[in-house]
Amino acid sequence: MKVDKIEFGIVSSEMIKNISAAKITKTELYDHEGYPIEGGLMDPRLGVIDPGVRCRTCGGTVGECHGHFGYLELTRPIIHVHYSKIIFALLKIFCRKCSRILVEEKNMEAVKSKRLGFKEIVTLSKKKCPHCNTEVKKLKFIKPYTFVEGADTLNAVQVRERFEKILIEDLKIVGLSTRPEWLILTLLPIPPVTVRPSITLETGERSEDDLTHKLVDIVRINDRLKENIDLGAPDFIIEDLWELLQYHISTYFDNELSGVPPARHRSGRILKTLSQRLKTKEGRFRGNLAGKRVNFSARTVISPDPMIQIDDVGVPETIAKELTIPARVNEKNMEELKKTVLNGSDIWPGANYVIRPDGRRKKISELNKEEISNEIVPGYIVERHLKNDDIVLFNRQPSLHRMSLMGHRVKVMPFKTFRLNLSTTTPYNADFDGDEMNLHVPQTEEARVEIENLTMVPKNIRSPRFSGPIIGAIRDHITGIYVLTKGERKFSRKEFTQLVRSVDKDVELPDKESLTGKEIFSLFLPKDLSMEFKSNSGELVVIERGKLVKGVIDKASVGSETGKLLDKVEKFYGSEFAKKFIYNVTRLAIAVLTTAGFSVSISDQDLTDKARRDIKEIIEKIRKEVDDTNEQFEKGELKVLVGRTPKESLDHTVKTILRNGLNETQKVLEKEIKDNFTLDMVKSGARGSLVNIVQTAAMVGQEMVMGERIEKGYYQRTFPHFKPGTISLEATGFVSRGFKDGITPFEFFFDAINSRESLMDKSLKTRHSGYMERRLVGALQDLKVEYDGTVRDSANRIVQFLPGDDGMDPSKVQRGGINVGEIANRLFKS
Amino acid sequence: MKEIDITKNELVPKHTILNDSEKEELMNRYKIALRQLPRIKMNDSVVESLGGKIGDVVKIVRKSPVVGESVYYRVVIRG
């Protein structure tokens, strides 16, 4: 059957009665023996929640019967809180006497053709009913469910009476397809018990669901109202009870209504009623339908392990014993699986369950493990523990990338953290300051194959974002390989054997007494690789037939996100080779650092006397220039720049002077600071920049807030210690000392202002871009590339005729397309 | 005021209206109905100057820095 239309409307009282399995009349839930009372809120006809019992309505057991609605006859009609806005709008549009629409015949066409909203119709409505000439009284809506007409309060009965008289033709004009009187409740549907199951505590006590509690209140008040009416109680008592019933039913729908005290549990806890179940991130929609909890997954803290492969993940044994893979028994694996079963669930590698060919699941325990192991024949499924080299998915949130979820190989390890190779932190954007990551175990062959072929770490070395390698050497890896390849340092046979063998035991060592660092590095290069490129510091690097001839290896060649050498290796020798290459380079770098030693010190940034003199000169020069400019400005002689106010011109000039001064300082430092470890890190691109060195050794420079020199704080000055109107360098956030020499209290404050601004900016920016991303994903999530190469949406409408206008996968091509000529040359040569 | 032929502007990509056989060929190529094509409003300046009617398919050839030329088809809708 094809569904061609779905219409949403409001259930009528009759419909409620028709779908109901029971009429609720009694306030008690259970009789003195503890059985549910028929006609009570736990009526057995409303479904089953206890195992072993069959449903009185449909005969199903716990899993089969979804439950059945019941109904409660309300003594007096009640306004549904969530409909009160619509009810108010309808009251305004229709006449209070004849219930006809308050729009004149001549305006009717406009209403009909333009499909006007309620608001527009109200503005078209007349002061007097065009049909019966009754004066329209002023209506007021007091949230959440009271309507006042003139001086009188309208009760639900009156509203319902008016709505019953409304003609279908008039409703059509308004665009309403259901009867408006159904907006006011006369019957209350009682949800099945499966929606509000009661829990039996260990003490044997029953604990009811919040909804049941609320419903009990409703039934009780409803009963009292009825008794009082039957007894002919005075009007004000009936009015009060009616109001109370309205309160209970309103909070039953929504317990967070503004202006209404929330209904509470006896303990004082606020009840979770219908709206609260659906709303918010943890509600039914966002928490249970749009996102679900998953099985066969694990989460724990991550820590580094430079000794494992880049596509490995270290899994704690405790986790490996909890996560299982269903393995189908056949002749070839039978013996092995029998052994795992014999190990049981406590010894790794064991198994937790077996599934017999008839589909029955059996837990493996200490008592029955021998028995189960003996009965295993082909056709059984053993849910065995996670083993080494099993394939799993590994993920770190926020998943902003496709590289945030990659396939890894399991390495079962002691202790309690996931272990991760350091090169793999870049795509996940992970560090080890307490980050946690998730692991998912695929349960079918298809899933495993898909992971292996699409998402394994080596296949994701090249990022689709910039068509280059995203996985590569970082930090110490870069420093290490830089130290090794810099200059012509010789390593004795003993030294280089030690280095190379600690990385790879198969590499052929040349028969030489000593090797240079460049030669050692070259051992790991493909023998037919030749290329030329610029290093991080701009020098030429030459590789000829697998030999590093000239230049150093640094961030520009093997670094993650930048490595030109990595890029070429991945492209020409494939991702598996690239994986080994990255591993070898990083291991070699670490071996170099551990044997040769590498330590930084504050004294790395000590300045020579000449440097000190030069910097002092520069600062004095800056001071003088700025003072002159300030003087000119105060006299009004400063040249005003086009499109700027005099003040802006001053700021611009001063900023230029300061910037040039800082550049000069940097040049002095570049010349004067000797070769040292700190500089090695900067030059190789491993960490830090020249700016950092300038700020520590020489001067911090101008502190900026929102791109301007600091001016605000006190009246016309930054601190009370300055004269109002001061524009001198010291008073506007210029720090003329370096961190190492120490800065003055004023300077310290300026620096703190700047630091706080960058901190705030960073956190605000991540929040903002996170939300942008969420909206973008929402808009694009069901776009899909079809087999005919078009991009289509969920309704199969074409969005793009070629993905990205070129139909190319950016993670598979060279930036700027494919160089066909080069490929052809290569093919013909070989 | 002088009439300006906007199709002559270098920033306006080349629009052409497909004839019936071309239209059919396109529909067959992607195995789609008209409503599955991207849309362009009838009051779009270029469509107006071409005299496109509702249901016509406009072929748009755009110059792109990435691929040189990219071809797009849009169906004319009311607007």
Side-chain angles (χ1 to χ4, degrees), chain A residues 391-417:
Chain A
I391 284 167
V392 294
L393 281 174
F394 202 42
N395 157 249
R396 180 183 175 275
Q397 281 126 348
S399 313
L400 301 168
H401 260 160
R402 68 180 204 204
M403 286 84 76
S404 290
L405 180 74
M406 290 191 289
H408 283 253
R409 262 167 234 285
V410 169
K411 279 254 138 55
V412 178
M413 290 177 165
F415 311 122
K416 286 180 170 164
T417 56

Side-chain angles (χ1 to χ4, degrees), chain A residues 309-439:
Chain A
Q309 288 291 325
I310 61 166
D311 60 345
D312 279 343
V313 55
V315 178
E317 200 182 293
T318 42
I319 286 179
K321 284 195 288 200
E322 207 65 52
L323 297 172
T324 58
I325 287 183
R328 181 157 242 123
V329 178
N330 55 45
E331 272 111 33
K332 282 183 180 147
N333 66 12
M334 192 158 73
E335 282 315 308
E336 201 195 326
L337 286 173
K338 276 185 172 180
K339 249 182 250 164
T340 64
V341 171
L342 220 46
N343 272 339
S345 54
D346 286 339
I347 300 162
W348 183 83
N352 292 351
Y353 282 94
V354 287
I355 300 164
R356 299 212 180 92
D358 62 4
R360 288 249 309 279
R361 259 165 81 90
K362 189 96 183 153
K363 192 170 171 63
I364 299 169
S365 69
E366 282 305 306
L367 300 167
N368 64 9
K369 62 184 186 188
E370 274 103 12
E371 188 191 325
I372 292 175
S373 174
N374 285 331
E375 70 172 82
I376 283 179
V377 286
Y380 269 60
I381 295 169
V382 177
E383 296 204 330
R384 47 150 258 251
H385 290 162
L386 215 53
K387 279 196 313 193
N388 280 346
D389 288 325
D390 275 337
I391 284 167
V392 294
L393 281 174
F394 202 42
N395 157 249
R396 180 183 175 275
Q397 281 126 348
S399 313
L400 301 168
H401 260 160
R402 68 180 204 204
M403 286 84 76
S404 290
L405 180 74
M406 290 191 289
H408 283 253
R409 262 167 234 285
V410 169
K411 279 254 138 55
V412 178
M413 290 177 165
F415 311 122
K416 286 180 170 164
T417 56
F418 285 136
R419 251 50 66 78
L420 188 62
N421 183 290
L422 287 127
S423 296
T424 324
T425 55
T426 327
Y428 290 119
N429 192 19
D431 50 40
F432 305 105
D433 61 2
D435 288 25
E436 291 185 57
M437 284 180 75
N438 310 316
L439 182 127

Side-chain angles (χ1 to χ4, degrees), chain A residues 98-110:
Chain A
C98 69
S99 283
R100 290 299 308 270
I101 193 160
L102 289 172
V103 178
E104 277 179 305
E105 207 58 56
K106 61 174 183 191
N107 286 331
M108 212 60 109
E109 272 315 304

Side-chain angles (χ1 to χ4, degrees), chain A residues 461-477:
Chain A
I461 290 176
R462 190 172 294 272
S463 161
R465 196 174 76 219
F466 52 92
S467 303
I470 192 169
I471 296 170
I474 54 163
R475 315 272 180 269
D476 278 5
H477 304 152

Side-chain angles (χ1 to χ4, degrees), chain A residues 788 790 792 795-801 804-808, chain B residues 30-32 35-39 64 66-67 70-73:
Chain A
D788 66 356
T790 55
R792 303 200 187 195
N796 239 336
R797 284 182 294 239
I798 293 180
V799 175
Q800 269 185 353
F801 289 88
D805 262 7
D806 57 7
M808 280 194 264
Chain B
Y30 293 112
K31 300 195 172 54
I32 47 165
R35 58 173 179 81
Q36 287 168 292
L37 279 177
R39 285 126 197 221
S64 143
V66 189
V67 284
S70 81
V71 186
Y72 235 76
Y73 299 93

Side-chain angles (χ1 to χ4, degrees), chain A residues 131-196:
Chain A
H131 302 277
C132 68
N133 249 344
T134 318
E135 193 108 12
V136 175
K137 279 195 182 169
K138 196 151 170 75
L139 271 166
K140 240 175 87 187
F141 172 36
I142 304 163
K143 272 181 179 170
Y145 42 69
T146 319
F147 306 105
V148 181
E149 190 173 55
D152 312 315
T153 309
L154 284 176
N155 64 36
V157 175
Q158 292 167 311
V159 176
R160 210 180 139 88
E161 268 169 8
R162 282 192 201 179
F163 283 0
E164 275 165 359
K165 285 191 287 179
I166 294 173
L167 299 173
I168 297 173
E169 299 98 89
D170 287 350
L171 285 175
K172 269 188 195 150
I173 294 162
V174 184
L176 216 63
S177 52
T178 38
R179 288 301 310 176
E181 61 264 29
W182 297 343
L183 297 167
I184 290 137
L185 304 163
T186 52
L187 290 185
L188 185 72
I190 305 294
V193 283
T194 40
V195 172
R196 41 186 179 93

